[in-house]
Amino acid sequence: MSIIATIMNSATGAPIQKMTFNRMPKRWASFTLESGERVTAERIDVGTPAHGRFVAPVDIWVTPKVGT
């Protein structure tokens, strides 16, 4: 089962994009955004699933360079 995560900007708190991972990424994982920028995960938050649901929300916080 794949993980659908929201990539969040840690400087502004705004969502950048959604990404799909085959497994839960580690905190130090690096990946490339749609803009082509390579970023490293700083923090990963896993929420609780909504009532009656199985899927938990996952937020991955990154600090992109200025201009994103």
Side-chain angles (χ1 to χ4, degrees):
M1 183 170 158
S2 60
I3 305 291
I4 299 173
T6 303
I7 309 301
M8 303 290 289
N9 185 333
S10 61
T12 63
I16 298 173
Q17 71 181 49
K18 291 214 180 253
M19 284 188 84
T20 303
F21 296 91
N22 289 333
R23 59 174 54 185
M24 182 63 93
K26 302 290 185 189
R27 188 175 55 87
W28 56 84
S30 294
F31 48 89
T32 305
L33 298 176
E34 290 175 346
S35 64
E37 183 178 355
R38 187 137 180 99
V39 293
T40 302
E42 297 174 1
R43 185 176 89 206
I44 298 176
D45 294 335
V46 180
T48 57
H51 182 69
R53 306 281 269 171
F54 176 73
V55 179
V58 177
D59 294 333
I60 299 177
W61 295 83
V62 299
T63 302
K65 293 183 175 131
V66 179
T68 302

